[in-house]
Amino acid sequence: MDVTAKDTAPTTILAEPPADRLGVTFGLSWCLLVLTIVFAMLAEIFILVSSLARFRVDYLSEKIDAAHLIMSALEAAPGQQSPPGQIDPKLRDRLLDQADVLGMTILRPNMPPRTLGPRMPPRIPMLYDLRNAMALELVIDALSTMRNPKASVMGVTGLSKADPRVVVEVVLEERPLRNELWNYFNRLLVISIFISVTTAALVYAALQWLSVRPLRRLTASMIAFQKDPQDPRRVITPEVRDDEVGTAEQALADMQQRLRALLLEKERLAGVGFAVIKISHDLKNILTTAQLESDRLENAPNIDPDIKLITSGIVHAIDRAVKLSTNMIRFAREGLPEVRKQQLALLAILTDLRTALQPVLPGASIVVNVPAEVMFSGDPELLQRALENLIRNAAEGGATQITLTYERISADDALIVTDNGTALPKKAIDHLFVPFLGSVKSGGTGLGLPIAREALRVQGGDIVLRSTTAGVTIFAVLLPVA
């Protein structure tokens, strides 16, 4: 079938892939959403703990400033009933209660320390100094305060913002600070969750539009094309975009077009091949009959010598035609051979092969030079079949000596086959492993090397032409791997 103009401009049909096969319901999209939320929450956690530490420092700094302010106020406005230079105790207690401070000590340059706080406990279990506190230490202190359910008293030392030369020591209860930290944590947690979910939703929508949707479109096109590769409507139509997705869609479209053309070509060649097989079968029958008649004529008594000579040439030509038809039918009908691997010794395989081939190839000397310890896993029948075809081809190409040596190529074991026959022509090299096209000699079928490569590749090996020059042709046979 020819590819028409309609075939080259298809209308794309994309079947929606089933959800259970592609996992589009709870697959990549949901994974992206969940991962985005998790990563956003992790970032918010780092922000949250640092914010809690900052909130605690600000809270305690306010208490320090409030204590300095209270001391300044009390010193500036003494009570009416108090002696001169004394602080009114009622005003003192009222100001300390309003500031939630149990007591304080003010250290000023060139002045003696001054302490206020009739309710200060004799022992303060926890002391903190904000002047030289590290960031990690502040975070740990904030979390410890939140985790401590028992009410206790804490002492805090810091510098006054109003006068950095003044050192203020404040004694206060920890419970109010703990309550404020938890209230701040709850507010910040709600905001963090909202930010994380909102960010995740936006990232999810962007990734869904930019990546997941094109990926689902590519997958749907592959599934639809797989169902019917010869349908031109199932070839994807690439979107106009310059990113990686556009490149992938264009590459997929090109691959589908080439694959579809190859399938159409294969179908056409299959029809031609089937016709050739039928013709070859009928031709073989006709030639067999002609061969029998030629044999009778050649063996007839009292036949003229000139006629017998001509008959002999006819018989030889008919033999070649029958052999060609037989090989063509066998090659067309045979499928991939069945592989039965086992541990093999390379030297033993080659020795048996030389024993079998040397009598039928008297004009070529087969030399085996491989170590006895080389072992590999392969099918002995397929390997002998491949090597036999290779050696026969070399002998038929005029080689008088064929040498088999072992070589290690990277991580592969290789058998190097070297012969001193004529160099291969360029046409033969270009079609060396193509059936019916790689023959060098006149009347050859061109099936020896293709059959050898198939027998090696089906069990994990290969054969390549390393070089060919006048008098030296080298093939590398990569032995099968386990």
Side-chain angles (χ1 to χ4, degrees), residues 29-258:
S29 302
W30 286 100
C31 289
L32 290 174
L33 178 60
V34 173
L35 289 176
T36 306
I37 293 177
V38 171
F39 293 151
M41 285 300 299
L42 289 176
E44 290 294 336
I45 288 174
F46 287 111
I47 297 174
L48 183 62
V49 294
S50 60
S51 298
L52 289 173
R54 183 73 260 172
F55 179 84
R56 176 178 174 275
V57 171
D58 293 341
Y59 179 90
L60 297 178
S61 297
E62 289 178 0
K63 298 301 181 182
I64 291 174
D65 294 338
H68 188 200
L69 181 61
I70 289 172
M71 180 64 73
S72 301
L74 291 175
E75 290 177 343
Q80 297 179 355
Q81 299 180 357
S82 300
Q86 296 291 326
I87 294 177
D88 186 353
K90 293 183 179 180
L91 178 61
R92 176 200 65 193
D93 294 343
R94 187 167 64 251
L95 291 176
L96 290 177
D97 289 341
Q98 290 178 355
D100 286 333
V101 175
L102 298 179
M104 70 183 78
T105 299
I106 305 296
L107 303 175
R108 290 171 285 196
N110 303 322
M111 295 182 64
R114 190 158 191 179
T115 302
L116 294 178
R119 295 179 297 170
M120 289 179 61
R123 178 178 175 275
I124 302 174
M126 293 179 294
L127 297 175
Y128 301 100
D129 193 341
L130 302 181
R131 290 173 294 178
N132 299 315
M134 304 296 292
L136 181 59
E137 182 181 355
L138 294 175
V139 171
I140 295 175
D141 291 340
L143 297 178
S144 299
T145 302
M146 296 179 65
R147 292 179 55 190
N148 186 14
K150 297 180 180 179
S152 58
V153 178
M154 60 186 301
V156 182
T157 302
L159 299 177
S160 173
K161 292 182 180 178
D163 188 354
R165 299 175 301 169
V166 177
V167 178
V168 181
E169 296 177 354
V170 180
V171 179
L172 65 159
E173 292 184 353
E174 190 181 22
R175 185 182 297 276
L177 173 60
R178 180 175 178 272
N179 294 336
E180 290 293 334
L181 282 173
W182 274 109
N183 291 334
Y184 180 76
F185 172 79
N186 292 332
R187 295 193 301 270
L188 198 60
L189 181 63
V190 172
I191 296 175
S192 299
I193 293 176
F194 174 77
I195 293 176
S196 299
V197 173
T198 303
T199 303
L202 294 176
V203 173
Y204 169 79
L207 291 176
Q208 183 76 13
W209 178 259
L210 295 175
S211 299
V212 178
R213 185 188 64 87
L215 182 60
R216 293 179 61 187
R217 184 169 180 268
L218 286 170
T219 308
S221 174
M222 294 177 188
I223 294 176
F225 185 79
Q226 181 186 16
K227 293 179 179 179
D228 188 5
Q230 296 184 2
D231 187 355
R233 298 171 299 173
R234 298 180 184 270
V235 177
I236 189 173
T237 301
E239 295 181 344
V240 181
R241 48 192 302 173
D242 298 328
D243 56 3
E244 291 80 358
V245 175
T247 303
E249 289 185 351
Q250 184 62 53
L252 177 61
D254 294 341
M255 183 188 69
Q256 289 176 335
Q257 289 282 16
R258 291 196 301 269

Side-chain angles (χ1 to χ4, degrees), residues 331-343:
F331 181 79
R333 289 180 176 177
E334 283 184 349
L336 290 177
E338 183 179 357
V339 179
R340 295 183 178 89
K341 282 190 175 184
Q342 61 188 62
Q343 282 297 114

